[in-house]
């Protein structure tokens, strides 16, 4: 990989480009829209494998395409502008002027350079459908729907050809994952409110993706500067770095200065949906005092970000005045930044939240740009002690009420969830969310399954994330090793993303996603056949796997050797197994009969196995009686 | 901490000594045996906390006690020798002579120096009880039982005093964890076969610990040299390092040369039970050719290791000839080293396994020294594709048969388990083990919940380990980041141990262990109150937490500051929550009434909360209908 350095001067973001080791990017053209080019990453195996490349989902955008010209100064190509235009019902207009307060009133050397190009914003004309939800309800299949259908199908055709569907013996807890994703299925899931395609019509650089529990489990990476540290350059680099390793969406949680300009650089260079928490910027506009917030400054911020192309907004409209006292006895009170801002505002003014009271207007603004709701869990638990308490669930019920309003207004909606939850309380969380919110996609932060490991909260939360993904959560927000301690750097971002790719994939396997196991099996065959390079390249992080191997056995020759450092050349279980196979295959009829005679149990177990061990229904039953 | 360097020459192991940051070691004397000194680690909180120290389980031995004189050349003090002697029924005798083949026939500079002191071995006299199982069956409470009862009770007295028992609202799936552990309870669990205290009467340096699902979930760390790499010095250091961070037992899986001498250094310096796989050394004695193995060389190896003081043996006696063909169609065949050795032997000789045929004799040998069985899962799956297949479960049924034989012979038994298992197949594994093996403790390797992340298998497996621990697994064998790629170094050992401490603790929380949440709550209070040093010290790895924090905010002053680098000083949710609390507390009656008037829902939710949200039975029910 290369660190791409543009020709221009200082303070221009540099980003990592080039393919992931062992992979190549290809594009497929969906039958329903052959003009689309949907990216796939193919992991190319060694000749010894005698197997075709393994297709995997590719969130990395053009940065991993050696043929793509990357110029961070110009941003990515704005392909989607034409899709929006050809559907009609939108207008371009003179957008809101960028004001000094949008960047925290900084000036001179403290002001981050503005993105060089200004794009004219577009919005819905009154009375015209514009959101993916509205199109789906109207029975229309958009290009975005065709694109994500193609994207989700990686490997499934091949699997169906090879009749490997029987592998998918998971327990999906009522999800309805089809053997093959069609554009019609995508449309129906969106119309049903069970899935969203976060895709602001002003984010023309977007490669659409879908979030819903009948699709692949997705992950989000948080980035963003703060009042204390980091810069525009770092944040753009982190975004590209996060999607390289598999982040499906990225949230810009910047809270310091230069919020507007940082976000512009990020969106113009982002092939994935970008989410924000608009109240963070609104707060900066009122000098950081929650009491000074009002509807006007919030509305102004929403429009500013809608025009920039933010794809989803976290809106903490469920933090109602009445719920605030419910948090008083908590061990960790309110830990959501947005939640605590709104709680303070409510108490200071003795009034119901303006986000709750103005929710209709918020919907109307967001609808015009197709910004999706990510209804915030401002009262999520910040500790094991506070998990599943009244405050948390009271808010969740309100989020269900707001979901129905947003749908009625034509908006796409997902729901944010916790947080800190011990393992035995995760399922009740997921079940309640599905019930209260009409199966709108759930999007959780972890959850962390214990509080006792600062420095390792990617792991405490990866456990909870895998479980809630299995139970039906559609997108998992990553947690990095720096959680509770500091802002994540580049290494932390990668560790967080890889950990959450593991959680999401483990969830897909357990749910019985029809194509999920293809990659596991390819890794396992490579491992068993000592195809080291294939094993590295098929993994989530080929660079680290290769480096770890080389620490002990650095010689190139060892990467084709039929042994590894754990046992050494003389004594290798995989080698012995191969001997066993060869031996078994070479047995004559008499020998085989003798062996069979000594081993009547073998047949008995074969028969029992059919009944007991590999029967998918039995596996399901074992989880039902948990 | 200090790296302890003894005064003597090269090639003497150096180990890490000194307390864990913020902790002190204390010793308690159980009422039933005031002469015992049971170690506890106390995490001392800052004055600002106004809270007593938090007691945590301490596996680290004298190495973290500044008052202890550590001399790796001499080994730890042999306190337990007196306990064994005073119970009687044992004899000392002239032990088996150490032969060159025990160390792989190496000589000269390649031969690791022998441990300086030779201890005379002890064994049971014929007809006398010696194992913890036999004593328990006879109704006798041993000092080991008193010791572990005291050790397991950390924090429970305090919790019972403070009536925090209501916190323990977990779902234990039929485990029976009492509010307080008594020596009688320990005895009864051992007699029932549901728990073991691995404690070879020749391992006099041992601080006893217990493994069973009604006790704290334990973790094991694997170390050991191989034909390719590592030395005696490294392995002793790794053992001390592993227990420092929380390993409850350590397995020495050495396979290369110097096996005998390496093991002697480890055991003489180990306060935790040491496990081995004797067939590894037996194989070295026959030049690495499984076909040459026989009962005599195996028996000789068992006695050699019994006399040294190994506390538990992995014995792959369930790999029967009849089961070997069941593995032929697997994606990854047989991945257990012991399993593949025995499979090859069985096929080569067309005979039933000598481990299975000689199982009675093995029991008789192990009983005389109270070496516990860890019945090996030689046919465990090595990939997601092979999980829960007929071969695996056929072997498990045989392990159940062998468990009953071992109990009848007076031996302690635990059962090893997989391996690679997707999430939805973990529960059926656990349930089947409990059923087939009469609730003998289960001891699993992970399981890994996906195959696609070489370099991160501590995480793929940490997910499965937490879940199977919740479901009833008694001990979790760690997996390090180097799994499948190389041998773990010091850093990998620490990462593996911390990851598994997370999994074990998450399991204890979810099972409703009465005292588990004390530490979580202490961390959360420290976090909420910005007691940074307390948060670091209460965590599993204070050094890493502190280092991560200091990367962003290194100044000492920031460690008492009421903000962190994520949000900065102006904008902090925890600060705002405190304001909310202060505000709520300062409300006058009229204001409160007005707030209440606006917030009738609050009362409604309070009422609903009692019924729905914090009701332990509802939580249990949600998991039952999984």
């Amino acid at each position: 990989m290369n660190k791409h350095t543009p020709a221009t001067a200082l303070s221009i973001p540099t980003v990592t480009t080039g393919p992931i080791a062992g992979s190549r990017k290809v594009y497929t053209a969906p039958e329903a829209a052959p003009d689309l080019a949907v990216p796939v990453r193919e992991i190319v195996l060694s000749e010894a494998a005698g197997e075709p490349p393994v297709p995997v989902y590719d969130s990395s955008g053009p940065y991993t395409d050696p043929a793509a010209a990357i110029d961070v100064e110009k941003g990515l190509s704005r392909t989607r502008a034409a899709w929006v235009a050809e559907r009609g019902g939108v207008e371009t207009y003179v957008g809101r002027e960028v004001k000094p307060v949008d960047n925290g009133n900084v000036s001179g050397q403290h002001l981050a350079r503005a993105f060089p190009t200004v794009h004219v914003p577009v919005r819905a004309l009154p009375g015209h459908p514009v959101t993916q939800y509205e199109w789906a309800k109207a029975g229309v299949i958009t290009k975005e729907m065709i694109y994500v259908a193609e994207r989700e199908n990686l490997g499934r055709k091949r699997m169906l050809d090879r009749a490997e569907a029987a592998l998918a013996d998971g327990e999906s807890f009522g999800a309805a994952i089809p053997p093959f994703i069609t554009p019609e299925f995508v449309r129906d899931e969106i119309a049903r409110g069970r899935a969203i395609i976060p895709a602001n019509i002003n984010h023309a650089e977007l490669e659409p993706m879908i979030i819903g529990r009948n699709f692949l489990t997705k992950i989000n990476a948080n980035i963003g500067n703060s009042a204390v540290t980091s810069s525009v350059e770092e944040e753009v680099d982190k975004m590209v770095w996060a999607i390289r390793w598999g982040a499906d969406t990225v949230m810009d949680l910047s809270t310091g200065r230069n919020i507007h300009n940082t976000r512009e650089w990020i969106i113009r260079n982002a092939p994935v949906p970008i989410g924000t928490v608009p109240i963070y910027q609104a707060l900066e506009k009122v000098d950081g005092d929650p009491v000074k917030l009002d509807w006007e400054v919030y509305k102004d911020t929403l429009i500013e970000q809608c025009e920039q192309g933010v794809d989803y907004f976290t809106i903490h409209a469920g933090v109602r005045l009445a719920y605030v006292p419910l948090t008083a006895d908590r061990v960790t009170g309110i830990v959501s930044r947005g939640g605590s801002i709104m709680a303070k505002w409510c108490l200071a003014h003795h009034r119901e939240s303006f986000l709750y009271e103005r929710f209709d207007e918020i919907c109307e603004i967001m609808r015009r740009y197709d910004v999706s709701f990510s209804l915030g869990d401002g009262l999520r638990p910040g500790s094991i002690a506070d998990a599943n308490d009244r405050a948390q669930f009271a808010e969740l019920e309100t989020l269900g009420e707001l979901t129905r309003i947003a749908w009625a207004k034509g908006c796409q909606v997902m729901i944010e969830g916790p947080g800190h939850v011990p393992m035995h309380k995760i399922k009740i969380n997921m079940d309640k969310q599905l019930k209260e919110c009409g199966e709108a996609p759930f999007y959780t932060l972890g959850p962390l399954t214990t509080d006792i490991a600062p420095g390792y909260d990617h792991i405490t939360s990866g456990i909870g994330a895998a479980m809630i993904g299995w139970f039906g959560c559609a997108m998992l927000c990553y947690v990095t090793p720096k959680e509770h301690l500091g802002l994540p750097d580049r290494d932390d971002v990668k560790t967080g993303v890889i950990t959450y790719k593991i959680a999401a994939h483990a969830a897909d396997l357990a749910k019985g996603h029809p194509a999920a196991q293809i990659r596991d099996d390819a890794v396992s065959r490579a491992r068993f056949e000592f195809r080291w390079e294939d094993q590295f390249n098929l993994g989530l992080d080929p660079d680290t796997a290769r480096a770890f191997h080389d620490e002990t056995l650095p010689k190139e020759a060892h990467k084709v050797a039929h042994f590894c450092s754990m046992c050494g050349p003389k004594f290798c279980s995989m080698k012995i197994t191969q001997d066993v196979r060869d031996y078994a295959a070479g047995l004559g009829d008499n020998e085989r009969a003798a062996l069979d005679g000594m081993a009547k149990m073998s047949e008995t177990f074969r028969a029992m196995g059919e009944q007991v061990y590999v029967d998918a229904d039995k596996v399901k039953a074992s989880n039902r009686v948990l």
Side-chain angles (χ1 to χ4, degrees), chain A:
Chain A
M1 69 182 116
N2 307 300
K3 186 94 172 173
H4 179 82
T5 312
T8 45
L10 218 69
S11 296
I12 306 305
T14 60
V15 297
T16 303
T17 59
I20 290 170
S23 284
R24 68 183 177 208
K25 186 183 288 263
V26 298
Y27 297 91
T28 64
E31 280 173 29
D35 56 318
L36 298 184
V38 180
V40 185
R41 176 156 73 91
E42 286 192 343
I43 302 169
V44 182
L45 304 184
S46 62
E47 254 181 58
E51 295 179 19
V54 175
V56 298
Y57 193 97
D58 187 356
S59 61
S60 63
Y63 300 100
T64 50
D65 182 354
I70 299 297
D71 184 346
V72 179
E73 286 271 286
K74 289 189 179 155
L76 300 178
S77 82
R78 292 173 57 83
T79 310
R80 241 186 100 236
W83 310 359
V84 172
E86 75 189 19
R87 280 197 293 267
V90 295
E91 61 175 358
T92 56
Y93 68 105
V94 178
R96 174 189 172 282
E97 197 184 350
V98 178
K99 304 170 203 162
V101 72
D102 301 346
N103 283 304
N105 288 316
V106 288
S107 57
Q109 63 171 16
H110 296 300
L111 178 64
R113 192 163 69 95
F115 187 77
T117 313
V118 178
H119 297 294
V120 180
V122 58
R123 67 184 171 198
L125 288 165
H128 285 268
V130 67
T131 71
Q132 298 293 323
Y133 182 80
E134 290 171 313
W135 290 118
K137 280 284 190 187
V140 174
I141 292 174
T142 63
K143 281 197 168 167
E144 286 84 350
M145 297 174 199
I146 296 168
Y147 190 102
V148 302
E150 182 75 12
R151 201 169 190 187
E152 291 278 326
N153 270 324
L154 298 172
R156 291 208 201 178
K157 268 183 188 154
R158 174 178 150 198
M159 186 213 56
L160 293 174
D161 291 349
R162 291 168 56 178
E164 291 181 41
L167 287 173
D169 59 0
E171 166 56 63
S172 72
F173 299 111
I177 305 167
F180 197 75
I181 302 286
T182 62
E184 289 74 16
F185 179 76
V186 170
R187 181 195 58 197
D188 294 348
E189 287 292 291
I190 292 173
R192 173 72 181 72
R194 276 206 296 229
I196 67 171
I197 297 178
N200 184 324
I201 53 175
N202 287 306
H203 189 188
E205 300 84 356
L206 184 74
E207 296 177 353
M209 54 76 72
I210 192 161
I211 302 167
R213 75 169 164 143
N214 292 322
F215 301 91
L216 289 161
T217 305
K218 302 302 188 299
I219 69 167
N220 171 71
N222 290 333
I223 60 169
N225 64 1
S226 84
V228 175
T229 181
S230 75
S231 67
V232 175
E233 293 73 27
E234 284 173 73
E235 299 312 317
V236 174
D237 175 49
K238 273 187 206 166
M239 180 273 292
V240 174
W241 186 239
I243 65 176
R244 178 181 185 85
W245 298 112
D248 294 291
T249 76
V250 168
M251 288 195 81
D252 173 15
L253 302 184
S254 295
T255 59
R257 300 176 296 187
N258 292 312
I259 290 186
H260 182 97
N261 286 359
T262 303
R263 188 168 54 230
E264 187 72 22
W265 282 98
I266 291 171
I267 295 173
R268 298 286 76 81
N269 286 287
V272 300
I274 299 297
T276 64
V277 188
I279 201 119
Y280 292 178
Q281 187 179 14
L283 189 73
E284 296 290 332
K285 291 181 181 176
V286 295
D287 302 322
D289 183 354
V291 182
K292 291 190 201 157
L293 283 167
D294 62 22
W295 168 240
E296 289 309 319
V297 70
Y298 190 77
K299 178 181 170 185
D300 174 67
T301 306
L302 289 184
I303 291 170
E304 172 188 350
Q305 299 196 15
C306 284
E307 291 179 351
Q308 281 188 292
V310 173
D311 299 289
Y312 62 90
F313 288 157
T314 295
I315 310 250
H316 297 96
V319 181
R320 297 191 61 183
L321 174 62
Y323 306 154
V324 177
L326 298 177
T327 67
D329 295 333
R330 280 180 159 186
V331 169
T332 46
I334 300 175
V335 295
S336 152
R337 288 186 282 187
S340 58
I341 292 164
M342 289 313 300
K344 180 143 187 177
W345 187 93
C346 290
L347 286 193
H349 294 281
H350 269 237
R351 279 186 53 191
E352 183 58 271
S353 157
F354 66 85
L355 298 179
Y356 182 79
E357 291 193 329
R358 301 281 190 160
F359 194 72
D360 276 13
E361 287 166 81
I362 294 171
C363 290
E364 282 154 20
I365 294 166
M366 288 169 65
R367 188 202 73 82
R368 291 193 81 175
Y369 303 87
D370 197 7
V371 177
S372 297
F373 276 97
S374 185
L375 288 173
D377 56 336
L379 303 181
R380 70 170 176 268
S383 57
I384 292 297
D386 296 341
N388 289 21
D389 73 352
R390 288 168 286 129
Q392 180 194 343
F393 280 172
E395 181 186 33
L396 183 55
E397 288 163 18
T398 296
L399 299 186
E401 171 198 331
L402 298 175
T403 298
R404 285 165 182 83
I405 294 170
W407 282 342
K409 292 279 185 180
C411 295
Q412 303 191 86
V413 186
M414 63 181 168
I415 311 293
E416 294 184 11
H420 293 240
V421 186
M423 284 191 287
H424 64 296
K425 294 185 179 176
I426 293 176
K427 183 90 178 8
I428 201 170
N429 247 282
M430 187 68 231
D431 292 349
K432 186 168 176 70
Q433 187 274 339
L434 289 172
K435 175 171 163 280
E436 298 295 339
C437 302
E439 297 185 71
F442 205 22
Y443 165 34
T444 59
L445 179 71
L448 286 72
T449 53
T450 168
D451 303 334
I452 69 166
Y456 298 82
D457 279 328
H458 58 306
I459 298 177
T460 64
S461 69
I463 294 166
M467 291 176 70
I468 204 162
W470 177 27
F471 298 155
C473 187
M475 185 156 78
L476 310 170
C477 181
Y478 86 173
V479 172
T480 78
K482 289 279 169 60
E483 184 76 11
H484 299 119
L485 300 170
L487 280 176
D489 63 19
R490 213 173 128 90
D491 287 345
D492 298 317
V493 166
K494 181 173 173 182
T495 301
V497 168
I498 299 283
T499 301
Y500 273 67
K501 287 299 283 184
I502 289 169
H505 185 77
D508 288 336
L509 276 179
K511 284 167 79 174
H513 186 284
Q517 202 177 313
I518 290 174
R519 189 170 181 179
D520 294 79
D521 292 353
V523 173
S524 294
R525 283 192 298 268
R527 199 167 266 163
F528 189 68
E529 293 164 14
F530 295 97
R531 288 183 275 112
W532 288 101
E533 290 291 339
D534 288 348
Q535 186 192 160
F536 304 152
N537 293 340
L538 283 161
L540 290 175
D541 178 2
D543 304 339
T544 297
R546 184 174 289 104
F548 280 2
H549 176 270
D550 288 358
E551 274 180 33
T552 326
L553 283 179
K555 288 184 213 144
E556 273 311 305
H558 281 139
K559 289 206 202 73
V560 292
H562 278 202
F563 67 91
C564 61
S565 61
M566 285 81 86
C567 308
K570 260 198 345 190
F571 176 61
C572 167
S573 61
M574 290 215 180
K575 181 72 171 63
I576 290 176
T577 304
Q578 191 55 52
D579 294 347
V580 169
R581 275 189 195 173
D582 296 344
Y583 183 94
L587 284 176
D589 283 350
N590 286 347
E591 288 165 307
R592 194 178 298 277
L595 186 61
D596 287 352
M598 289 177 68
K600 282 178 191 162
M601 286 303 283
S602 175
E603 275 311 300
T604 309
F605 279 111
R606 189 176 302 269
M608 287 176 69
E610 298 303 327
Q611 298 159 28
V612 182
Y613 304 133
V614 292
D615 182 326
D617 288 339
K618 293 280 174 185
V619 169
K620 285 175 195 287
S622 79
N623 290 298
R624 287 223 184 80
V625 294
L626 266 189

